[in-house]
Amino acid sequence: MPEWVIRSKLQPPIRLRNLVSRARLFERLEDAFDARLALVHAPAGYGKSTCLAQWRSTLLDRNIPVAWLSLDEHDADLFQFQTYVSEACSEAGFAGGRDFPRISEEYSMLSGSEISAALVTGFNKCNGAHVLVLDDFHRAQSAEVTQCVDYLLGASSANIHIVISSRELTSKLSLADLRIHDELVEVTQEDLRFSADEVRTYLDYWVDAPDTPNWPDELHERTEGWPVALQTVRRWASEGTTIDQTLSQLSGRTSDLADYFLEQVFESLSDEAREFLLKTSILERVNGDLGSALCENVDGWEILQSLDHKDMFVQSLDRQRTWYRYHRLFSEFLQERLRRSPEAKVEELHDLASTWFREHGHTSEAVQHAIASGNVKACAELLEEHGGWHYALRGHVAVVQSVLSKIDDDELQKYPRLWIAKIYLAIRLGKMEIGEAEIARFEQVYAADESTDLALMGEAKVMKATIRVYGDKPVTKETIAGLEGLGETIPSDNNVLHATRCNLLCAMYRDVGRFDDCMAIGDQAISHYRAMGSLYETFIYFHEGLACLRQARLRDAEALYKEGFDIAVENFGDDSDLAAIARAYLAEVSYEKNRLHKARQYLQASVRHIEKADAWIDVYFAAYLTQMKLTWASGDEQQFDRTVTRAKSTAINRDLGRLGDIVELQRLELSLRRVADEDERPAVALPNHRRSSDEISRQFMARIKARQLLIAGEYKQASRFLEQEAGSARSERQIHYFISLAVLLAASRWLAGETDAAVRAFESALSASIFEGIKRPFIDEGELVKGVIREVSQTTANRRGNRLRDAFIAELIAEIDASGEGEQKEDHLLSPREREVLRYVMQGQSNREIAEAMPLSVNTVKFHLKNIFDKLGVSSRKDAVSVAIRERLV
């Protein structure tokens, strides 16, 4: 070995201690064995050398020879480069460590191509896979060295695999040819980034009980998985900084990272590139034309391509490399330097950006930069140009709110659709009085103006109807007719207005019982929402789902709610307003199916959210009324009272008087279920339910009246009243309401001694419920219908019946019994009946033997076993017994 060879360059400059295993990354590197070249390129600090050193260690454990060469600027000399390659390969045992050519001074008389040929000869003597790692290749790039590597790649046998790490994409190598022939493996910063799981592994030891449970995800998002930033976090943690403090402090402006960016990246750039980066750092994304608009006399495309080629924390956003963005931390670093620059004119840069985006049809970004520039007039003009409230409806609520906060009322009158946006946002926040006052003032200003176009007044009419729906005003025939007629006057391409009109009609048709029209107009609304690129079609799924629920089409309702929920979570997040609204509706469906644990889970993540969110009265009905029924069933009176208080508070805050009235009616109906005789009945005078214009109130009052008659012992009068009500409900297709009436009718007939009539009434409720899995109307009236349901069950047992019907009845009996035993406050605990079944299972009894011993039907035993398996989280008898023994459940 020549004396001038530095042996330390032939080993990785990394200590393999306390490192995170990058198994995911190693799998990617393993693809190098199917290629000639693996190119690992990424900006500074991405752990390229560390990763390759770790991978090298795994290869040596597998007896795969790995030659390592850490390059520096001196290795740009071809002879020195070739000498080091030779020594690295000899040191690694290439060609058995004996026959590999050793480059010495006498080789200096040979040409570079002759020495390269000698290296290839040595490579071709190697048997099996051999790996040559050229680390920090960007430091030694020269035309001669690049030509040498190209030759080695092309002339060496297929078992020689070269791995290059570099801070930039080595354009002088023949990469295109290697890509075409599938001989190139590229590992980029996308691959080198730490995943959220790797972030947790890397920092878990240093993190002590953070307040932020999802800190790895937040840290991963903040750093974009950049290893150097994570090393900084770990050092801070070792010095006592908590992870919560880190999350609030970490940015490209912090001294540690700012110094790194300055030394390793920024100072190596030309003055022109630095200016370009600083001025364009205000942008979320940049292309060459936009960059040139912000930086005069500069070729933006050339600079961007150069930065991208050098991996300078610049990332293309599409395959065509049309748009680019900067790493989040790097962008913060640049913005801070721009802010401190004495020549910085940040507002002017935002104004230039707004103008460019506006001219090129990028409205959202034009508005954002107009706001940042402080040009209120430009903001208002932009929003008016794009429909004002239409823009808010497309999902840009926060932007519209920001602009409105900067415009006074007199100025706002110049922008009518932006004025309507103010009304729309007031409605969303439940400020109906403000909305009504503003729409009245709007009509005074524009209705008298002959130059006002009809489309604008049509939008005002739609907004008035929106106030009625959100403000829970009675739906009138005139309102519906006005919206129906408006459809003919709206231009066909005005999807925003069409979608809003159809949305309102969908809700109104549902409330007046025009269910078929509800579904048809709802589908039209979805088409318009999709045409305008809006995801608010979610609202239609909620309206249509409630229409299905009222018709007792529980499966359709659940499917529609889940569709809305999936869209909300995918596009707005799991903690979004729309996701919370969907959970409230799904909780109602789960309660009807007697999935009480699931209903509680939905409400736990929903109620507090919708109290602060943009919701409407049907959402509050679903949430609060279901919560009341759940807490009542569990016997938790304190929680029940708290729910009532919260519901009434929301009714006051949202100016939804009917919500408070309905909550009070449900509280009264639930209390009547526990009244044994007339002396205990609360003294309540209800108005004539048939005179109520509100269908939900009317239904509550009718059931309360029926209960009062039953408590008073007026069974025949109750039967006549219920029969008439049930007939009306069925004819109006209010089937869910019909089921509740039919169950009460069965009870009244039974109490009157009319067994056959009671069974017929019960069967009518049963037939409407079986296929949809509706159970709670029966379970909630368990004490009243126990006799008739057992009569039905006995009759069924004496004849050959329908298996689905028999199983459903058996489940009802079991669940009514379980409800009577007192619902467990912790759902994972077993009821007394379930513990008894489990004891027989532990004794090895079959389902039939258990049924005979208890006594129960076999279907009921199967149902209990299903519940036991669900609660214990098992799928077999054997596992259930193991859990029972371990947890001492019996």
Side-chain angles (χ1 to χ4, degrees):
M1 181 179 296
E3 293 180 359
W4 50 265
V5 169
I6 303 171
R7 294 184 61 87
S8 61
K9 292 176 60 174
L10 308 183
Q11 296 290 328
I14 304 298
R15 294 182 180 180
L16 299 181
R17 297 185 307 181
N18 301 321
L19 297 177
V20 175
S21 175
R22 308 295 304 278
R24 170 181 57 86
L25 194 51
F26 295 165
E27 288 179 11
R28 182 83 179 96
L29 287 169
E30 288 292 316
D31 293 338
F33 291 113
D34 296 320
R36 289 190 177 275
L37 173 64
L39 180 58
V40 182
H41 62 97
Y46 268 91
K48 301 179 290 296
S49 298
T50 302
C51 167
L52 290 176
Q54 287 179 275
W55 184 55
R56 169 183 176 271
S57 179
T58 67
L59 297 183
L60 294 179
D61 289 341
R62 291 152 55 188
N63 295 320
I64 296 175
V66 182
W68 182 284
L69 174 56
S70 296
L71 297 165
D72 57 35
E73 289 75 10
H74 301 294
D75 299 319
D77 176 80
L78 179 59
F79 181 77
Q80 179 161 321
F81 173 77
Q82 292 171 324
T83 300
Y84 266 111
V85 169
S86 169
E87 295 300 332
C89 292
S90 297
E91 186 84 359
F94 278 39
R98 297 182 303 277
D99 299 330
F100 203 86
R102 308 294 293 266
I103 309 300
S104 60
E105 293 294 338
E106 61 191 65
Y107 274 78
S108 62
M109 303 300 294
L110 300 178
S111 66
S113 58
E114 290 174 318
I115 297 176
S116 294
L119 291 174
V120 168
T121 300
F123 285 150
N124 292 338
K125 293 179 181 179
C126 299
N127 296 317
H130 285 61
V131 177
L132 168 62
V133 176
L134 302 176
D135 191 30
D136 285 341
F137 189 73
H138 59 279
R139 300 178 68 183
Q141 276 197 88
S142 65
E144 294 81 4
V145 167
T146 303
Q147 186 177 8
C148 173
V149 173
D150 262 337
Y151 176 76
L152 296 180
L153 286 167
S156 300
S157 57
N159 61 314
I160 301 298
H161 310 282
I162 298 178
V163 179
I164 291 176
S165 80
S166 176
R167 286 191 184 180
E168 60 184 63
L169 194 60
T170 52
S171 60
K172 295 178 181 178
L173 287 174
S174 303
L175 300 181
D177 184 63
L178 290 170
R179 283 195 188 97
I180 290 173
H181 292 90
D182 204 20
E183 291 287 356
L184 173 65
V185 173
E186 279 191 85
V187 178
T188 68
Q189 57 181 294
E190 289 294 322
D191 303 300
L192 290 162
R193 287 173 178 163
F194 274 51
S195 67
D197 287 339
E198 288 170 335
V199 169
R200 180 185 293 278
T201 302
Y202 184 63
L203 296 172
D204 209 21
Y205 173 79
W206 305 97
V207 175
D208 185 22
D211 294 331
T212 309
N214 61 333
W215 62 267
D217 297 303
E218 290 199 22
L219 199 53
H220 176 260
E221 181 182 359
R222 185 76 55 84
T223 63
E224 298 188 27
W226 186 33
V228 158
L230 296 171
Q231 287 175 9
T232 301
V233 172
R234 189 158 81 169
R235 182 168 56 77
W236 289 359
S238 69
E239 294 170 354
T241 305
T242 68
I243 199 69
D244 299 298
Q245 291 171 328
T246 295
L247 288 171
S248 66
Q249 297 170 8
L250 184 69
S251 79
R253 302 177 181 89
T254 54
S255 59
D256 291 349
L257 296 181
D259 290 345
Y260 188 91
F261 281 128
L262 186 63
E263 295 172 6
Q264 297 292 326
V265 182
F266 198 68
E267 289 184 342
S268 67
L269 299 172
S270 67
D271 291 342
E272 189 179 61
R274 291 179 193 176
E275 180 188 4
F276 183 89
L277 285 169
L278 290 174
K279 288 186 175 181
T280 57
S281 66
I282 66 166
L283 305 168
E284 291 290 330
R285 59 174 183 157
V286 61
N287 67 21
D289 295 334
L290 176 55
S292 297
L294 269 61
C295 305
E296 296 181 4
N297 304 317
V298 165
D299 187 337
W301 286 112
E302 182 179 342
I303 291 180
L304 277 173
Q305 289 167 4
S306 173
L307 293 170
D308 182 30
H309 174 74
K310 293 180 178 179
D311 276 330
M312 286 294 181
F313 293 92
V314 177
Q315 182 178 358
S316 62
L317 295 174
D318 49 55
R319 288 184 177 274
Q320 293 74 31
R321 300 186 182 275
T322 305
W323 288 97
Y324 294 82
R325 76 171 184 90
Y326 304 149
H327 187 287
R328 175 174 176 169
L329 295 174
F330 187 49
S331 179
E332 291 170 351
F333 159 77
L334 294 171
Q335 289 170 26
E336 181 62 17
R337 289 191 67 83
L338 176 66
R339 186 184 68 81
R340 296 185 180 186
S341 171
E343 299 85 15
K345 297 179 181 179
V346 179
E347 289 77 12
E348 290 184 12
L349 290 172
H350 281 295
D351 202 36
L352 287 170
S354 178
T355 300
W356 190 92
F357 279 120
R358 185 176 184 177
E359 290 173 351
H360 289 79
H362 302 292
T363 307
S364 177
E365 286 151 309
V367 173
Q368 289 172 3
H369 287 288
I371 292 172
S373 73
N375 191 336
V376 176
K377 182 180 178 181
C379 292
E381 289 175 352
L382 269 167
L383 291 182
E384 185 68 19
E385 187 180 307
H386 288 87
W389 70 281
H390 299 196
Y391 195 66
L393 195 65
R394 290 191 179 99
H396 304 285
V397 172
V399 172
V400 176
Q401 282 177 324
S402 177
V403 174
L404 285 171
S405 69
K406 297 177 173 63
I407 302 178
D408 59 40
D409 288 346
D410 291 337
E411 187 71 14
L412 187 60
Q413 291 187 21
K414 300 176 183 178
Y415 309 103
R417 287 180 172 82
L418 190 54
W419 191 357
I420 294 178
K422 180 181 179 181
I423 299 167
Y424 171 68
L425 295 181
I427 296 168
R428 280 174 59 100
L429 294 173
K431 299 176 181 178
M432 300 305 160
E433 291 183 2
I434 294 176
E436 289 173 343
E438 287 290 333
I439 199 70
R441 196 160 68 89
F442 180 92
E443 289 181 324
Q444 285 178 350
V445 172
Y446 287 100
D449 188 343
E450 294 181 358
S451 65
T452 302
D453 66 274
L454 293 176
L456 179 62
M457 297 314 297
E459 293 181 40
K461 185 179 290 187
V462 166
M463 201 53 57
K464 287 183 73 172
T466 304
I467 291 174
R468 298 196 70 82
V469 170
Y470 272 78
D472 193 38
K473 307 294 183 183
V475 176
T476 65
K477 292 181 179 179
E478 291 75 18
T479 304
I480 292 178
L483 284 175
E484 288 173 336
L486 190 62
E488 300 175 3
T489 66
I490 301 173
S492 59
D493 61 347
N494 192 337
N495 289 299
V496 172
L497 203 52
H498 276 298
T500 308
R501 182 188 75 91
C502 293
N503 185 351
L504 294 169
L505 282 173
C506 182
M508 291 178 179
Y509 287 152
R510 178 203 65 209
D511 287 344
V512 299
R514 292 171 59 178
F515 297 126
D516 292 339
D517 291 337
C518 168
M519 305 303 283
I521 201 75
D523 290 345
Q524 288 183 39
I526 290 172
S527 297
H528 288 297
Y529 278 125
R530 290 178 178 177
M532 63 187 267
S534 171
L535 295 166
Y536 286 136
E537 66 181 75
T538 311
F539 291 120
I540 306 303
Y541 295 122
F542 298 153
H543 297 330
E544 291 181 340
L546 187 52
C548 290
L549 183 64
R550 290 178 180 174
Q551 297 172 81
R553 293 165 51 191
L554 214 59
R555 289 180 296 176
D556 290 339
E558 186 171 31
L560 286 163
Y561 291 155
K562 284 184 175 178
E563 180 70 18
F565 177 73
D566 291 342
I567 291 174
V569 171
E570 180 179 352
N571 295 281
F572 302 103
D574 191 56
D575 60 346
S576 63
D577 294 352
L578 286 175
I581 289 169
R583 286 189 176 97
Y585 282 125
L586 286 167
E588 189 174 24
V589 170
S590 296
Y591 180 83
E592 291 299 319
K593 292 187 172 185
N594 202 34
R595 300 172 182 167
L596 305 191
H597 180 60
K598 193 68 176 175
R600 285 196 195 91
Q601 285 182 322
Y602 281 134
L603 290 178
Q604 188 176 9
S606 172
V607 174
R608 291 190 183 278
H609 196 125
I610 62 172
E611 288 173 341
K612 303 175 184 177
D614 166 32
W616 54 97
I617 197 165
D618 295 315
V619 179
Y620 298 118
F621 283 156
Y624 288 128
L625 300 186
T626 305
Q627 184 96 309
M628 287 174 68
K629 288 185 281 193
L630 284 168
T631 53
W632 186 267
S634 69
D636 190 340
E637 294 183 9
Q638 289 185 338
Q639 183 62 29
F640 178 83
D641 291 339
R642 282 195 292 269
T643 301
V644 171
T645 300
R646 288 175 65 175
K648 291 184 175 180
S649 176
T650 298
I652 294 170
N653 294 337
R654 291 273 176 173
D655 193 22
L656 298 173
R658 189 163 64 110
L659 174 60
D661 295 340
I662 296 296
V663 165
E664 188 56 33
L665 286 171
Q666 173 150 293
R667 188 196 62 75
L668 177 58
E669 183 182 14
L670 291 171
S671 66
L672 287 172
R673 288 181 185 169
R674 294 184 179 175
V675 175
D677 54 50
E678 192 169 6
D679 293 337
E680 300 174 346
R681 184 176 62 181
V684 179
L686 291 172
N688 187 333
H689 68 286
R690 293 197 176 279
R691 293 181 182 174
S692 174
S693 60
D694 168 28
E695 181 63 28
I696 297 176
S697 298
R698 192 179 76 79
Q699 292 177 8
F700 268 108
M701 288 189 286
R703 286 196 299 265
I704 289 170
K705 178 179 178 180
R707 291 183 190 283
Q708 290 176 328
L709 290 171
L710 290 174
I711 292 167
E714 301 290 344
Y715 305 135
K716 290 187 177 296
Q717 187 179 346
S719 296
R720 288 193 296 272
F721 171 73
L722 285 165
E723 192 162 24
Q724 183 179 2
E725 278 295 307
S728 297
R730 172 163 265 175
S731 65
E732 294 167 5
R733 294 170 63 191
Q734 296 278 358
I735 306 303
H736 189 269
Y737 176 48
F738 163 79
I739 293 170
S740 66
L741 294 172
V743 172
L744 285 173
L745 178 58
S748 66
R749 296 289 196 196
W750 182 264
L751 292 170
E754 301 172 6
T755 303
D756 293 342
V759 169
R760 286 195 298 273
F762 188 87
E763 291 281 7
S764 68
L766 199 63
S767 63
S769 306
I770 289 176
F771 293 104
E772 301 294 334
I774 301 173
K775 293 180 178 178
R776 280 314 297 196
F778 302 93
I779 297 169
D780 288 340
E781 310 298 347
E783 290 302 316
L784 281 175
V785 299
K786 264 189 175 180
V788 66
I789 195 172
R790 294 198 182 280
E791 177 69 22
V792 170
S793 177
Q794 187 60 42
T795 303
T796 299
N798 294 333
R799 70 181 184 198
R800 186 174 180 179
N802 181 289
R803 292 179 63 184
L804 180 62
R805 177 180 178 279
D806 296 348
F808 187 76
I809 292 173
E811 289 178 9
L812 281 181
I813 292 172
E815 292 180 56
I816 289 172
D817 288 344
S819 178
E821 293 166 352
E823 187 183 340
Q824 302 294 325
K825 291 189 177 181
E826 296 291 337
D827 283 74
H828 67 274
L829 297 178
L830 304 179
S831 70
R833 183 62 59 88
E834 288 165 350
R835 287 198 296 272
E836 187 177 358
V837 170
L838 186 54
R839 271 193 289 270
Y840 283 115
V841 171
M842 295 175 72
Q843 296 169 15
Q845 303 283 346
S846 67
N847 289 349
R848 186 166 298 281
E849 289 170 334
I850 296 172
E852 292 173 356
M854 290 192 64
L856 296 169
S857 72
V858 173
N859 281 332
T860 302
V861 172
K862 289 179 180 178
F863 175 74
H864 282 311
L865 278 174
K866 177 180 176 298
N867 280 347
I868 291 168
F869 288 175
D870 287 345
K871 290 181 180 181
L872 300 185
V874 299
S875 57
S876 68
R877 289 171 170 251
K878 179 181 178 181
D879 291 340
V881 171
S882 297
V883 173
I885 294 171
R886 185 174 66 248
E887 302 295 333
R888 300 180 180 178
L889 297 179
V890 294

